[in-house]
Amino acid sequence: MKHFKKVIFLIVASVIIFTSCSVKVGYNPHNYDADNIIKMIGELSSKSFNGRMAGTPYGIKTEEYVASKFKKAGLKPAGVGGTFYQEFLGVSGNPTPEYILEVKDGNNMVKGYKYGKDYSFFTYMSHKGEATGRGVPVNLSDKNIKGVKNAIALIKYFKDADSNTLSMLYKKGYTGVITASGDPSDRRKGQFGVNDMEVSSKLPRVCVDLDVFDELMDYSKKGYTIHLKSSFEVKSFKARNVIGILNSNRKSDDYLIISAHMDHLGPDPDGVYFPGALDNASGTSSIIEIARAVSKQPVKPDKNIVFIAFSGEEENLFGSQYYVSHPIYPLKNSEVINLDMVGAKSNLPLSIFRYGSSERASGNSILNELKSSADERKIKYSIENNGSSDHMPFGSVGVPSVTLIDLEKNIYHVPEDTIENIGRDNLKRDIGLVMDVIGENAYTQKRYSNLFIICIIAGIMTIIVIAIRHNRMRIVKIN
């Protein structure tokens, strides 16, 4: 009985040793550094990147920046031909520096106007032209607009401008258009454009504020002329998605895609640039840091994790559309978490965009994981259908996909989108959520430390030794 109690004691002690040594080694969702993200946001939103417009030298600089960061983070190239890149074609539109608006008396300038204050570009249709002439008021509701010679049309309200109306004005002798439709001090713009092949493409045009419009009317009545020059360029461009991968610990056909678009907007004619700190230097910097954090985990994931920085998003989702039609990895078993405008300083709930309403196309599987983690973390969020971002092309072909976004509309597509509008709390909220979901989604198997394995072996050996000694004692006692 005495020996039996001793055996029981040693077995219990071994169990305690096992338990104390059973340290699970696996995914750590907290090993990212928000400071790294904020530093990269500052770099990407600086003047040296000049807005990161796709297809420009600054767009190329951005692609190379992200590729070097992916490599440093420990990702393997996952683009075309053993590189980080996947090239595609797109079409963009942007006003060029060729803008002038001034009042003249013969060859002498009477008054000049300032772009972005007094006037701005008008229509997203390609055109290029320069004209000097008297201002003539035009009412577009008049069915019998008279023909003129070398006159600039002063149209107070010109909504829904189209090439047919502009071509009509051109054919009637108007050499330019000035309208008071819009606020020229609001620099908010898109990066798309329509290539106009009609004669309207020869017609320079600008939008002015109402006070400037009335002033130009007065100058015209006094016999002064208006000098107008404008150019909106719509052109094809080449750009590249940047793609890296962290391979799984075993052969796997499953892929978790973490993405963000890296491009933003081109400068205005007066040289004012659009930093795009929130949109979307924040998302780009975040996926770079997430890539580093995931690559540094003590274990590899159970599925492949692909990181993609898309270009051409601002123009028309060109980069993500191209990837979906030319996937590097099978889309069948892929899921997508896209980051667009994360870490806003304002106190905003997190918005989660999904595609459509069907169970598969809505990104249901990844969406449920996000909702579950957000609920656990007590994060306020809203679910919204569709939303224009890079999850859309994936969702359109049935790939579960979502976009996380802080909908700060006040600084959307304006020069005021600077790093001062990035908030550490929301940034950590958003990235922490993504890190949690990566752990749940891509790290599913239990793994234990070498210490635990050693403890198991030591415990088994202890039990064996105890059993042998106990048997020997019994034999001695019998003899």
Side-chain angles (χ1 to χ4, degrees):
M1 187 67 181
K2 184 177 179 181
H3 291 297
F4 179 74
K5 289 182 179 178
K6 187 174 182 180
V7 170
I8 294 298
F9 170 77
L10 290 172
I11 291 174
V12 171
S14 298
V15 170
I16 293 172
I17 291 172
F18 292 166
T19 304
S20 64
C21 291
S22 61
V23 179
K24 182 179 178 182
V25 172
Y27 182 79
N28 175 13
H30 306 295
N31 73 332
Y32 70 92
D33 190 338
D35 288 337
N36 289 343
I37 300 174
I38 292 171
K39 180 182 178 182
M40 286 185 284
I41 293 173
E43 292 170 348
L44 287 169
S45 62
S46 68
K47 186 66 172 68
S48 64
F49 283 87
N50 204 31
R52 311 185 304 279
M53 181 179 171
T56 67
Y58 299 101
I60 295 170
K61 181 178 180 178
T62 304
E63 295 161 3
E64 293 173 348
Y65 175 93
V66 174
S68 68
K69 292 291 186 181
F70 275 3
K71 182 177 181 180
K72 187 175 180 180
L75 300 184
K76 292 183 178 179
V80 176
T83 72
F84 282 101
Y85 303 114
Q86 181 190 43
E87 188 176 85
F88 63 90
L89 297 176
V91 178
S92 64
N94 201 57
T96 75
E98 301 176 57
Y99 275 75
I100 298 173
L101 178 60
E102 57 190 13
V103 175
K104 302 189 78 173
D105 182 8
N107 293 324
N108 299 318
M109 187 178 73
V110 176
K111 182 170 184 178
Y113 295 94
K114 186 176 180 181
Y115 188 96
K117 178 179 180 292
D118 303 312
Y119 74 100
S120 66
F121 77 94
F122 179 59
T123 80
Y124 284 90
M125 294 183 288
S126 64
H127 70 271
K128 182 175 183 179
E130 184 173 11
T132 301
R134 71 189 192 281
V136 174
V138 174
N139 185 353
L140 291 176
S141 63
D142 187 350
K143 294 182 179 180
N144 297 308
I145 297 174
K146 295 179 180 181
V148 294
K149 187 177 181 180
N150 294 329
I152 293 175
L154 299 177
I155 305 172
K156 196 165 191 177
Y157 300 112
F158 195 171
K159 293 185 177 180
D160 303 320
D162 58 69
S163 63
N164 290 334
T165 306
L166 291 167
S167 293
M168 177 272 293
L169 291 169
Y170 182 84
K171 291 173 182 178
K172 285 186 176 289
Y174 291 95
T175 55
V177 171
I178 296 174
T179 177
S181 301
D183 178 7
S185 64
D186 183 359
R187 291 181 182 260
R188 196 180 308 271
K189 67 177 183 179
Q191 202 62 78
F192 48 84
V194 177
N195 206 353
D196 187 1
M197 306 302 292
E198 304 299 323
V199 294
S200 53
S201 64
K202 301 177 182 179
L203 202 64
R205 69 210 63 163
V206 294
C207 168
V208 300
D209 69 24
L210 198 54
D211 290 339
V212 171
F213 184 86
D214 291 339
E215 188 173 68
L216 291 172
M217 289 279 286
D218 289 339
Y219 276 122
S220 297
K221 290 175 182 177
K222 294 174 182 177
Y224 296 102
T225 58
I226 299 172
H227 179 210
L228 172 63
K229 184 178 183 180
S230 73
S231 173
F232 190 90
E233 186 176 48
V234 176
K235 63 179 182 179
S236 298
F237 66 86
K238 286 183 180 180
R240 297 174 294 181
N241 296 324
V242 182
I243 310 170
I245 189 170
L246 177 64
N247 292 116
S248 65
N249 57 39
R250 63 183 189 275
K251 185 177 176 64
S252 173
D253 293 324
D254 294 326
Y255 298 89
L256 174 61
I257 297 174
I258 309 297
S259 66
H261 76 86
M262 58 187 155
D263 63 301
H264 193 51
L265 308 176
D268 267 350
D270 56 350
V272 171
Y273 88 103
F274 293 70
L278 186 61
D279 183 19
N280 188 33
S282 64
T284 306
S285 302
S286 294
I287 69 168
I288 292 171
E289 176 58 17
I290 291 170
R292 186 203 65 80
V294 172
S295 296
K296 300 300 181 184
Q297 297 290 336
V299 291
K300 286 188 174 182
D302 303 313
K303 65 169 63 174
N304 305 292
I305 306 179
V306 181
F307 293 86
I308 308 178
F310 293 115
S311 189
E313 189 268 357
E314 298 290 7
E315 288 76 7
N316 192 22
L317 309 178
F318 282 115
S320 53
Q321 287 194 70
Y322 186 84
Y323 183 88
V324 168
S325 60
H326 301 81
I328 302 294
Y329 300 104
L331 297 178
K332 182 180 179 182
N333 297 318
S334 294
E335 296 172 304
V336 179
I337 300 176
N338 183 59
L339 305 183
D340 194 348
M341 298 172 62
V342 290
K345 193 171 187 176
S346 300
N347 184 21
L348 297 168
L350 175 65
S351 294
I352 303 176
F353 289 165
R354 65 180 182 181
Y355 179 87
S357 57
S358 68
E359 187 167 308
R360 168 71 176 170
S362 67
N364 189 59
S365 56
I366 198 72
L367 177 64
N368 284 341
E369 291 175 15
L370 281 163
K371 288 166 61 179
S372 177
S373 290
D375 289 338
E376 277 187 32
R377 295 168 69 95
K378 293 181 170 49
I379 294 174
K380 293 181 180 180
Y381 64 90
S382 63
I383 308 296
E384 301 185 29
N385 291 335
N386 301 319
S388 181
S389 195
D390 286 311
H391 69 292
M392 292 286 284
F394 290 95
S396 69
V397 296
V399 176
S401 53
V402 295
T403 286
L404 304 189
I405 183 168
D406 292 343
L407 278 174
E408 176 52 276
K409 297 179 181 179
N410 292 331
I411 58 170
Y412 178 72
H413 283 202
V414 294
E416 291 74 28
D417 182 6
T418 62
I419 194 169
E420 285 74 25
N421 293 294
I422 299 296
R424 180 181 292 270
D425 290 343
N426 279 350
L427 185 64
K428 293 179 72 173
R429 175 198 68 183
D430 299 346
I431 306 312
L433 176 61
V434 176
M435 291 291 290
D436 276 356
V437 172
I438 290 174
E440 292 297 321
N441 186 282
Y443 291 80
T444 56
Q445 291 188 354
K446 292 182 178 180
R447 300 176 180 85
Y448 296 93
S449 68
N450 292 335
L451 175 62
F452 179 54
I453 295 171
I454 292 171
C455 288
I456 291 175
I457 295 171
I460 292 172
M461 292 179 66
T462 301
I463 293 173
I464 292 172
V465 170
I466 291 170
I468 291 172
R469 291 186 61 188
H470 180 65
N471 287 335
R472 284 178 178 174
M473 290 176 182
R474 287 184 62 190
I475 291 170
V476 170
K477 188 174 181 180
I478 293 170
N479 293 335

